[in-house]
Structures are given as C-alpha cells and as structure tokens.
Amino acid sequence: MTEEGTSTRVPNTDVRYQVGAGHAVCQLRDVLDRVGDKWSVLVMSLLTDGSKRYSELQRAIDGISQRMLTLTLRSLERDGLIERTVTPTSPPRVDYRLTAVGATLSGQVNALIDWAEGHREYIAVARRAYDEAQAGN
C-alpha cells in the first residue's frame, strides 16, 4: 500500500551517463553547441559550394564581426569540420573548405536554413501575436 502522492514507479537504476566534463552527455552537448551556433551554420552553408577566402565569408555574413568570424572559423577547424589552407604568396592567401565530415553535415545545415527561410514569416507573426497577448495580461 502506498501513501497518497507517492510514486509506485521503480526508480531508474540503469544510469548510462554521468554528468561531468569528458562524459558522453557533455561531449554531445559540446558538438550540438558547435553545429547549432548561428555563425557556424552560416559559415558551413557558405562553404557547401567550395572553398572561400576569409574576406568572402565576412562579406557574405551580414552582422558578423571580424573577431566572431575568426573565433567561429577556429572552432570549426578545431572540431575537424573545416580545413584552413595557407598559400605562401604576398600577402598570404588563406582559404577555408569543408572537410569530408563537414560535408556530411552541410546537407543538414542547409536543410535547417531552408526551413528557417520558409517559416520566417510564420514565426514573426507568431511572435507578434504572443507579445501582444502577453502585453494584454
């Protein structure tokens, strides 16, 4: 017999992951943080068609600062999603391109961008309606 308000459910004793640095859940979150970052998504989308120079990327991404683009490119390179190639000219030419693994992700990234473009107006209308309803409360 159980008291009112107590659960008869058996607690989950099959804990697969521990929370903490270096464990599977945190590693997954780190990957999702990288590939879900708005600047990373835009950079990867631009690199889908082939390599691009830093200046090409900066011109194509409205609103990104030089510092943020540099940090984003370094992070994507560190994660093995893009490659940086330096051609020894004067001044040096630096190109970025997707790695083989980055290319497997680019299709998913482009699908997300297509979805966002297709539903941008719907979301704007929903936000306005929500904000108006909240202002009335």
Side-chain angles (χ1 to χ4, degrees):
M1 183 163 132
T2 61
E3 293 180 33
E4 186 175 343
T6 60
S7 175
T8 58
R9 204 177 117 228
V10 177
N12 182 4
T13 56
D14 181 28
V15 177
R16 296 181 348 168
Y17 303 113
Q18 294 178 357
V19 176
H23 294 286
V25 170
C26 290
Q27 291 170 351
L28 177 60
R29 187 174 48 226
D30 287 345
V31 171
L32 292 174
D33 285 347
R34 167 63 43 233
V35 299
D37 171 77
K38 70 179 176 180
W39 301 123
S40 296
V41 166
L42 293 173
V43 166
M44 292 188 67
S45 176
L46 288 168
L47 294 176
T48 298
D49 297 331
S51 68
K52 301 247 184 309
R53 296 183 74 174
Y54 181 94
S55 58
E56 291 176 285
L57 293 169
Q58 190 171 29
R59 279 192 304 272
I61 303 173
D62 188 38
I64 193 168
S65 68
Q66 192 171 9
R67 175 172 161 59
M68 186 52 65
L69 179 56
T70 299
L71 291 173
T72 300
L73 290 168
R74 284 182 186 162
S75 295
L76 289 169
E77 183 180 11
R78 180 175 180 247
D79 291 343
L81 300 174
I82 66 169
E83 288 179 337
R84 178 179 184 262
T85 304
V86 179
T87 305
T89 59
S90 182
R93 177 185 170 114
V94 180
D95 292 282
Y96 296 90
R97 71 177 187 86
L98 293 172
T99 62
V101 171
T104 66
L105 179 59
S106 71
Q108 307 303 317
V109 165
N110 288 327
L112 177 61
I113 289 172
D114 290 345
W115 182 91
E117 287 176 350
H119 294 86
R120 181 178 44 212
E121 185 58 31
Y122 169 84
I123 291 171
V125 169
R127 285 178 178 174
R128 281 192 297 273
Y130 178 87
D131 292 345
E132 289 170 6
Q134 292 302 307
N137 288 335

